[in-house]
Amino acid sequence: MSKVTVVGAGNVGATVAQYVAEKDLADVVLVDIVDGLPQGKALDMLEASPINIHDRNLTGSNDYADTKGSDIVVITAGIARKPGMNRDDLLKTNAKIVQDVAQQTVKHSPDAIFIVVTNPLDVMTYLTWKTTKLQPQKVIGMAGVLDSARFQTFIAMETGYSVEDVRAMVLGGHGDLMVPLTRFATVNGIPISELLSKDKINALVERTRDGGAEIVKYLKAGSAYYAPGASVSQMVEAILRDKNRLLPCAVYANGEYGLKDVYIGLPAVLGKGGLKKIVEIKLTSEEADALKQSATSIKENIDKMNELLVPAV
Ligand code: APR
């Protein structure tokens, strides 16, 4: 029986737990620093199991000993940016949380594959890799699946065709510098350029880029969690069921696409053991430049994190 630990029983963590159990993927242990929160949410979800029919166990805990022997650890612990807080404050606060969570979880599950969700995503994934000292293939960030799902949703909405037939991939960092590959976006193999005007496509790209902010604007307090939770569950499924799915994920680049020593969104094959392979496709010079720019910005933030964190990673 597979075991998935989700650290952070907030909006994203709880949604991940729900999808993982209800898709019948694994037993779930939900962990949080707040006493009672993971226990209450896990029990509530378990009580839905006779209705949604699965035999997966869901438990909540404040003790990392309960995460022992997990196949996958999902890190969603962290805080959202609060008024008056600058990006550096957020970086420092979440880095400390993620560092602590990574240390605690890897101690009890040295063979686990880590999926990182806490923002700033690419930097936190890098930190988790450094902290756990695992092979980079076992530490993966969730961003590209979500950004691509948003892009696909907007394509479906604009064309009026089923999401079932829409495919699209967004590479690069999870932020303003994401790189949506519009050339490869299709409706059942038909390039979207055959179906939508250039202006329309550009508008969809912009909406994708601002996808997170659009939700925050509506919610006011808090950020997106249904689509992020679903995205994580897709990655969990790919790994546990050894599906060899080709998904855009934040992975460690070691020369691929001319990028080195950085976590960034690239086409990744996920299956047993985590990342099996980074697929290199030929990019246009425009796309390659955008990817490079994205990597430069992530590296600057990694440097900043190293300055802010004591001890440095
Ligand atoms: N250990 C365990 N849990 C922690 C810790 C810690 N050191 N610090 C904070 N948490 C928990 C909080 O108690 C809270 O329950 O992390 C949870 C975060 O939940 P929310 O505030 O609801 O945030 P959420 O919307 O789930 O987002 C989590 O995912 O998408 C990203 O940007 C988002 O970084 C954010 C993360």
mmCIF file of all heavy atoms in Angstrom, residues 7-13 32-34 37 64 76-78 94 97 100-101 117-119 223, ligand 1:
data_model
loop_
_atom_site.group_PDB
_atom_site.id
_atom_site.type_symbol
_atom_site.label_atom_id
_atom_site.label_comp_id
_atom_site.label_asym_id
_atom_site.label_seq_id
_atom_site.Cartn_x
_atom_site.Cartn_y
_atom_site.Cartn_z
ATOM 1 N N VAL A 7 2.724 17.672 3.803
ATOM 2 C CA VAL A 7 3.031 18.593 4.894
ATOM 3 C C VAL A 7 2.441 19.961 4.579
ATOM 4 O O VAL A 7 2.709 20.533 3.511
ATOM 5 C CB VAL A 7 4.549 18.696 5.139
ATOM 6 C CG1 VAL A 7 4.802 19.536 6.393
ATOM 7 C CG2 VAL A 7 5.167 17.319 5.291
ATOM 8 N N GLY A 8 1.676 20.462 5.545
ATOM 9 C CA GLY A 8 0.889 21.677 5.334
ATOM 10 C C GLY A 8 -0.541 21.214 5.112
ATOM 11 O O GLY A 8 -0.847 20.649 4.054
ATOM 12 N N ALA A 9 -1.385 21.385 6.132
ATOM 13 C CA ALA A 9 -2.784 20.957 6.019
ATOM 14 C C ALA A 9 -3.677 22.155 5.718
ATOM 15 O O ALA A 9 -4.827 22.218 6.141
ATOM 16 C CB ALA A 9 -3.223 20.252 7.295
ATOM 17 N N GLY A 10 -3.129 23.115 5.003
ATOM 18 C CA GLY A 10 -3.903 24.290 4.597
ATOM 19 C C GLY A 10 -4.730 23.961 3.373
ATOM 20 O O GLY A 10 -5.073 22.793 3.122
ATOM 21 N N ASN A 11 -5.023 24.981 2.589
ATOM 22 C CA ASN A 11 -5.903 24.787 1.433
ATOM 23 C C ASN A 11 -5.313 23.837 0.398
ATOM 24 O O ASN A 11 -5.980 22.912 -0.066
ATOM 25 C CB ASN A 11 -6.182 26.140 0.774
ATOM 26 C CG ASN A 11 -7.201 26.938 1.558
ATOM 27 O OD1 ASN A 11 -8.017 26.367 2.287
ATOM 28 N ND2 ASN A 11 -7.146 28.248 1.430
ATOM 29 N N VAL A 12 -4.061 24.062 0.034
ATOM 30 C CA VAL A 12 -3.471 23.219 -1.012
ATOM 31 C C VAL A 12 -3.227 21.802 -0.475
ATOM 32 O O VAL A 12 -3.600 20.816 -1.121
ATOM 33 C CB VAL A 12 -2.141 23.825 -1.539
ATOM 34 C CG1 VAL A 12 -1.501 22.882 -2.562
ATOM 35 C CG2 VAL A 12 -2.375 25.192 -2.167
ATOM 36 N N GLY A 13 -2.650 21.720 0.721
ATOM 37 C CA GLY A 13 -2.326 20.399 1.294
ATOM 38 C C GLY A 13 -3.556 19.525 1.446
ATOM 39 O O GLY A 13 -3.557 18.346 1.074
ATOM 40 N N ASP A 32 0.856 19.099 9.998
ATOM 41 C CA ASP A 32 0.877 20.563 10.113
ATOM 42 C C ASP A 32 1.425 20.926 11.492
ATOM 43 O O ASP A 32 1.464 20.086 12.388
ATOM 44 C CB ASP A 32 -0.548 21.138 9.942
ATOM 45 C CG ASP A 32 -0.533 22.586 9.484
ATOM 46 O OD1 ASP A 32 -0.273 23.473 10.333
ATOM 47 O OD2 ASP A 32 -0.766 22.841 8.286
ATOM 48 N N ILE A 33 1.879 22.177 11.634
ATOM 49 C CA ILE A 33 2.308 22.594 12.974
ATOM 50 C C ILE A 33 1.120 22.951 13.856
ATOM 51 O O ILE A 33 1.240 22.966 15.073
ATOM 52 C CB ILE A 33 3.266 23.829 12.987
ATOM 53 C CG1 ILE A 33 2.871 24.840 11.928
ATOM 54 C CG2 ILE A 33 4.710 23.426 12.898
ATOM 55 C CD1 ILE A 33 3.495 26.188 12.175
ATOM 56 N N VAL A 34 0.002 23.245 13.244
ATOM 57 C CA VAL A 34 -1.173 23.624 14.042
ATOM 58 C C VAL A 34 -1.839 22.364 14.589
ATOM 59 O O VAL A 34 -2.244 21.474 13.831
ATOM 60 C CB VAL A 34 -2.181 24.432 13.189
ATOM 61 C CG1 VAL A 34 -3.418 24.786 14.009
ATOM 62 C CG2 VAL A 34 -1.524 25.693 12.642
ATOM 63 N N LEU A 37 -5.492 20.662 13.365
ATOM 64 C CA LEU A 37 -5.881 20.976 11.974
ATOM 65 C C LEU A 37 -5.739 19.757 11.048
ATOM 66 O O LEU A 37 -6.705 19.388 10.356
ATOM 67 C CB LEU A 37 -5.056 22.166 11.463
ATOM 68 C CG LEU A 37 -5.390 22.632 10.058
ATOM 69 C CD1 LEU A 37 -6.746 23.330 10.007
ATOM 70 C CD2 LEU A 37 -4.319 23.590 9.521
ATOM 71 N N TYR A 64 6.266 14.056 13.043
ATOM 72 C CA TYR A 64 6.872 13.526 11.819
ATOM 73 C C TYR A 64 7.139 12.020 11.875
ATOM 74 O O TYR A 64 7.320 11.387 10.841
ATOM 75 C CB TYR A 64 8.158 14.298 11.485
ATOM 76 C CG TYR A 64 7.860 15.637 10.864
ATOM 77 C CD1 TYR A 64 7.822 16.794 11.636
ATOM 78 C CD2 TYR A 64 7.555 15.739 9.510
ATOM 79 C CE1 TYR A 64 7.509 18.019 11.072
ATOM 80 C CE2 TYR A 64 7.245 16.961 8.934
ATOM 81 C CZ TYR A 64 7.232 18.101 9.724
ATOM 82 O OH TYR A 64 6.912 19.303 9.152
ATOM 83 N N THR A 76 3.713 21.486 1.131
ATOM 84 C CA THR A 76 2.889 22.671 0.845
ATOM 85 C C THR A 76 2.973 23.658 2.011
ATOM 86 O O THR A 76 2.285 24.678 2.002
ATOM 87 C CB THR A 76 1.406 22.314 0.611
ATOM 88 O OG1 THR A 76 0.789 22.044 1.878
ATOM 89 C CG2 THR A 76 1.227 21.116 -0.288
ATOM 90 N N ALA A 77 3.763 23.336 3.030
ATOM 91 C CA ALA A 77 3.839 24.193 4.217
ATOM 92 C C ALA A 77 4.458 25.536 3.861
ATOM 93 O O ALA A 77 5.390 25.606 3.066
ATOM 94 C CB ALA A 77 4.671 23.512 5.296
ATOM 95 N N GLY A 78 3.935 26.576 4.469
ATOM 96 C CA GLY A 78 4.474 27.902 4.201
ATOM 97 C C GLY A 78 3.431 28.953 4.483
ATOM 98 O O GLY A 78 2.331 28.645 4.939
ATOM 99 N N ASN A 94 9.484 31.349 4.174
ATOM 100 C CA ASN A 94 9.160 30.050 3.590
ATOM 101 C C ASN A 94 10.400 29.162 3.467
ATOM 102 O O ASN A 94 10.300 27.942 3.597
ATOM 103 C CB ASN A 94 8.466 30.226 2.237
ATOM 104 C CG ASN A 94 6.988 30.520 2.421
ATOM 105 O OD1 ASN A 94 6.483 30.506 3.543
ATOM 106 N ND2 ASN A 94 6.297 30.799 1.333
ATOM 107 N N ILE A 97 10.830 27.471 6.773
ATOM 108 C CA ILE A 97 9.806 26.433 6.955
ATOM 109 C C ILE A 97 10.139 25.207 6.098
ATOM 110 O O ILE A 97 10.159 24.071 6.574
ATOM 111 C CB ILE A 97 8.397 26.986 6.596
ATOM 112 C CG1 ILE A 97 7.971 28.051 7.608
ATOM 113 C CG2 ILE A 97 7.374 25.865 6.522
ATOM 114 C CD1 ILE A 97 6.695 28.804 7.238
ATOM 115 N N ASP A 100 13.116 23.208 7.320
ATOM 116 C CA ASP A 100 12.773 22.414 8.497
ATOM 117 C C ASP A 100 11.950 21.184 8.091
ATOM 118 O O ASP A 100 12.236 20.063 8.507
ATOM 119 C CB ASP A 100 11.987 23.298 9.485
ATOM 120 C CG ASP A 100 11.509 22.515 10.687
ATOM 121 O OD1 ASP A 100 12.347 21.843 11.315
ATOM 122 O OD2 ASP A 100 10.295 22.557 10.988
ATOM 123 N N VAL A 101 10.957 21.410 7.245
ATOM 124 C CA VAL A 101 10.084 20.308 6.818
ATOM 125 C C VAL A 101 10.895 19.249 6.051
ATOM 126 O O VAL A 101 10.736 18.046 6.270
ATOM 127 C CB VAL A 101 8.934 20.849 5.926
ATOM 128 C CG1 VAL A 101 8.180 19.711 5.254
ATOM 129 C CG2 VAL A 101 7.988 21.716 6.739
ATOM 130 N N VAL A 117 5.605 22.313 -3.443
ATOM 131 C CA VAL A 117 4.541 23.196 -3.923
ATOM 132 C C VAL A 117 4.694 24.622 -3.370
ATOM 133 O O VAL A 117 4.223 25.591 -3.961
ATOM 134 C CB VAL A 117 3.141 22.642 -3.522
ATOM 135 C CG1 VAL A 117 2.028 23.441 -4.165
ATOM 136 C CG2 VAL A 117 3.005 21.169 -3.901
ATOM 137 N N THR A 118 5.357 24.743 -2.230
ATOM 138 C CA THR A 118 5.493 26.051 -1.574
ATOM 139 C C THR A 118 6.205 27.056 -2.483
ATOM 140 O O THR A 118 7.194 26.720 -3.128
ATOM 141 C CB THR A 118 6.287 25.888 -0.253
ATOM 142 O OG1 THR A 118 5.665 24.886 0.539
ATOM 143 C CG2 THR A 118 6.337 27.198 0.518
ATOM 144 N N ASN A 119 5.709 28.279 -2.475
ATOM 145 C CA ASN A 119 6.314 29.346 -3.294
ATOM 146 C C ASN A 119 7.358 30.148 -2.517
ATOM 147 O O ASN A 119 7.283 30.203 -1.304
ATOM 148 C CB ASN A 119 5.204 30.293 -3.773
ATOM 149 C CG ASN A 119 4.554 29.765 -5.024
ATOM 150 O OD1 ASN A 119 5.243 29.329 -5.939
ATOM 151 N ND2 ASN A 119 3.232 29.782 -5.060
ATOM 152 N N SER A 223 -4.850 31.982 -1.802
ATOM 153 C CA SER A 223 -4.595 31.758 -3.229
ATOM 154 C C SER A 223 -5.200 30.433 -3.673
ATOM 155 O O SER A 223 -5.831 29.723 -2.887
ATOM 156 C CB SER A 223 -3.092 31.827 -3.507
ATOM 157 O OG SER A 223 -2.376 31.038 -2.604
HETATM 158 N N1 APR B 1 5.450 22.878 9.440
HETATM 159 C C1 APR B 1 4.267 22.368 9.039
HETATM 160 N N2 APR B 1 3.257 23.115 8.558
HETATM 161 C C2 APR B 1 3.448 24.435 8.504
HETATM 162 C C3 APR B 1 4.656 25.040 8.896
HETATM 163 C C4 APR B 1 5.685 24.195 9.396
HETATM 164 N N3 APR B 1 6.853 24.680 9.804
HETATM 165 N N4 APR B 1 4.539 26.371 8.725
HETATM 166 C C5 APR B 1 3.315 26.590 8.213
HETATM 167 N N5 APR B 1 2.653 25.433 8.081
HETATM 168 C C6 APR B 1 1.296 25.207 7.605
HETATM 169 C C7 APR B 1 0.288 26.232 8.117
HETATM 170 O O1 APR B 1 -0.088 25.970 9.459
HETATM 171 C C8 APR B 1 -0.857 26.078 7.130
HETATM 172 O O2 APR B 1 -1.840 25.157 7.601
HETATM 173 O O3 APR B 1 1.207 25.336 6.192
HETATM 174 C C9 APR B 1 -0.177 25.517 5.862
HETATM 175 C C10 APR B 1 -0.285 26.442 4.662
HETATM 176 O O4 APR B 1 -1.612 26.503 4.288
HETATM 177 P P1 APR B 1 -2.341 27.806 3.718
HETATM 178 O O5 APR B 1 -1.957 28.970 4.522
HETATM 179 O O6 APR B 1 -3.776 27.452 3.534
HETATM 180 O O7 APR B 1 -1.636 28.007 2.291
HETATM 181 P P2 APR B 1 -2.002 27.255 0.923
HETATM 182 O O8 APR B 1 -3.009 28.046 0.180
HETATM 183 O O9 APR B 1 -2.275 25.820 1.197
HETATM 184 O O10 APR B 1 -0.623 27.408 0.136
HETATM 185 C C11 APR B 1 0.525 26.706 0.547
HETATM 186 O O11 APR B 1 1.383 26.443 -1.653
HETATM 187 O O12 APR B 1 0.667 27.233 -3.709
HETATM 188 C C12 APR B 1 1.552 27.428 -2.652
HETATM 189 O O13 APR B 1 1.896 29.828 -2.618
HETATM 190 C C13 APR B 1 1.311 28.746 -1.936
HETATM 191 O O14 APR B 1 3.341 28.696 -0.675
HETATM 192 C C14 APR B 1 1.950 28.488 -0.618
HETATM 193 C C15 APR B 1 1.675 26.996 -0.393
#
